[in-house]
Amino acid sequence: MSHRKFEAPRHGSLGYLPKKRTRHHRGRIRSFPKDNQTVAPHLTAFIAYKAGMTHVVREIERPGSKLHKKEAVEAVTILEAPPMVVVGVVGYVATPKGLRALTTVWANHLSDEVRRRFYKNWYSSKKKAFTKYAKKAAEKPQEIEAELERIKKYCSVVRVLAHTQIRKIKLRQKTAHILEVQVNGGDVSAKVDYAKSLFEQEIPVTTVFSAGETLDTCSATKGKGYAGVVSRWGVTRLPRKTHRGLRKVACIGSWHPARVKFTVARAGQMGYHHRTEINKLILRIGAKGDEKSASTEADLTVKGITPVGGFPHYGFVNEDWLMVKGAVAGTKKRPITLRKSLIVSTRRSHHEPLNLKFIDTSSKYGHGRFQTIEEKNKFMGTLAK
């Protein structure tokens, strides 16, 4: 019977099994924040698109810490968030087995970018989705009102159906991402009235989030393809002289039971897994068309958030945007589902003043040294053609 020379903790967590490609390209919200009926009705989630990363300089106010009154450089992620459009409302009944959808009420007019979501091939289709529903809503509005009354009478959870305006960000995709967003606050009647008032309205990101609060992100991580055990599980490499390779697991189990246990590290898919990360701090929310959105009190340079030459593999940010401290799972252009924090953050660093002093907008394609293209042209002078 064999034994190991030293004891050691296992490599890699089993809590994320199975490590396979996710079915949810757009982050899926599995739980919404707890409802509080004493506050006004409000939305609890939003969808943004990852543009890229940059860094900022902040003055830390943390009495007792060695960082107090000192400047710190922090990595930040920029998420472009054009306004979303509400196109429906869903009512859920609480049952012993969980929530059950009672009925769905749609808006009278749906744009093509959301109707594309209901087709495999929009180009060759007859594009008839929701035409009969719109006709019924116009001729018999009392039936729509009756469905809303049913939601008010029987339901305990109300969620709106909202979609992104993906055409506003210059990606190749034309099909909008659609999301169920829970309405929290107020009684059920107030929730339904609030949801109906949002029909066909643009909802800016500032109605859901504000600078200084924390949010949760749900997204698919960056795919890495088929990976071995060393990079996938973090197991130790074998000695250099090992026969037939050393980036392996030497013993994958005993003779009996005569099968490989699920706890043994094996090669396979790495990345493109669904992950939810909680309590990310919003440092700033920028508005569309604001030429000074990346300026601060200490840096008065007139500049937007887009770096010189644009974000690599993304381009220019022209809509509303959020600046989130730290990294966000996923590649550029990927839809990131943002949710109001499920667990209230008690970290001291999440409740101190933001004190942004500088936002870097130099080129991300190399060792950028100019914050704006005007600054570069002024320094370089007239260049020979």
Side-chain angles (χ1 to χ4, degrees), residues 110-143:
L110 272 67
S111 66
D112 282 354
E113 55 189 350
V114 68
R115 288 166 66 222
R116 280 175 179 268
R117 181 54 67 186
F118 304 105
Y119 288 90
K120 280 283 188 186
N121 189 343
W122 171 261
Y123 172 75
S124 62
S125 70
K126 293 181 180 178
K127 305 175 180 57
K128 300 280 282 183
F130 287 94
T131 52
K132 289 183 179 178
Y133 190 93
K135 185 179 178 184
K136 183 179 86 168
E139 294 176 355
K140 300 176 181 178
Q142 64 275 13
E143 291 187 12

Side-chain angles (χ1 to χ4, degrees), residues 12 27 54 62 86 118 125 134 142 158 164 168 172 181 189 226 232 239 289 308 317 319 324 338 342 357 361 378:
T54 184
R62 203 173 299 162
V86 174
F118 304 105
S125 70
Q142 64 275 13
V158 178
T164 60
K168 290 200 169 187
R172 289 178 178 170
V181 181
S189 181
Y226 194 93
R232 192 176 188 226
V308 175
V317 173
E319 298 292 323
V324 178
L338 310 175
L342 202 66
K357 301 196 84 174
T361 56
K378 186 178 178 181

Side-chain angles (χ1 to χ4, degrees), residues 117-350:
R117 181 54 67 186
F118 304 105
Y119 288 90
K120 280 283 188 186
N121 189 343
W122 171 261
Y123 172 75
S124 62
S125 70
K126 293 181 180 178
K127 305 175 180 57
K128 300 280 282 183
F130 287 94
T131 52
K132 289 183 179 178
Y133 190 93
K135 185 179 178 184
K136 183 179 86 168
E139 294 176 355
K140 300 176 181 178
Q142 64 275 13
E143 291 187 12
I144 306 298
E145 289 298 324
E147 288 297 298
L148 291 172
E149 289 301 321
R150 279 185 71 211
I151 295 176
K152 290 180 181 180
K153 185 176 180 182
Y154 297 110
C155 294
S156 57
V157 174
V158 178
R159 295 176 183 169
V160 297
L161 289 158
H163 71 84
T164 60
Q165 299 185 78
I166 200 163
R167 293 235 179 192
K168 290 200 169 187
I169 55 173
K170 303 295 187 280
L171 303 181
R172 289 178 178 170
Q173 187 172 327
K174 299 174 185 175
T175 306
H177 292 98
I178 193 165
L179 177 72
E180 264 191 24
V181 181
Q182 187 159 306
V183 179
N184 280 359
D187 59 2
V188 175
S189 181
K191 285 179 169 65
V192 175
D193 292 338
Y194 175 72
K196 190 189 175 189
S197 70
L198 298 179
F199 274 11
E200 300 177 39
Q201 302 294 317
E202 288 192 349
I203 312 299
V205 70
T206 49
T207 60
V208 185
F209 299 108
S210 59
E213 70 173 301
T214 56
L215 52 75
D216 303 340
T217 64
C218 308
S219 59
T221 62
K222 190 185 292 187
K224 307 287 186 181
Y226 194 93
V229 287
V230 173
S231 60
R232 192 176 188 226
W233 290 96
V235 301
T236 307
R237 292 188 310 159
L238 298 175
R240 181 189 61 80
K241 297 178 73 171
T242 308
H243 186 45
R244 288 185 183 152
L246 50 80
R247 296 175 67 88
K248 295 169 180 267
V249 174
C251 175
I252 60 169
S254 56
W255 191 322
H256 288 291
R259 52 195 169 271
V260 180
K261 293 179 73 174
F262 77 96
T263 57
V264 177
R266 306 290 272 162
Q269 172 68 29
M270 182 176 171
Y272 201 65
H273 309 307
H274 187 280
R275 293 289 179 265
T276 300
E277 296 187 350
I278 66 168
N279 290 344
K280 294 191 172 292
L281 183 64
I282 303 172
L283 294 179
R284 178 171 284 198
I285 297 180
K288 175 184 177 181
D290 184 3
E291 294 180 354
K292 296 183 178 180
S293 59
S295 303
T296 63
E297 288 185 5
D299 175 28
L300 298 175
T301 310
V302 177
K303 58 181 183 178
I305 194 62
T306 306
V308 175
F311 283 104
H313 306 285
Y314 187 85
F316 290 75
V317 173
N318 298 314
E319 298 292 323
D320 298 346
W321 52 268
L322 296 97
M323 179 189 290
V324 178
K325 182 183 171 185
V328 171
T331 62
K332 285 88 170 172
K333 304 178 185 175
R334 185 157 292 173
I336 312 291
T337 305
L338 310 175
R339 176 186 66 188
K340 278 191 172 291
S341 287
L342 202 66
I343 301 163
V344 177
S345 174
T346 56
R347 289 182 62 178
R348 190 174 164 196
S349 60
H350 286 165

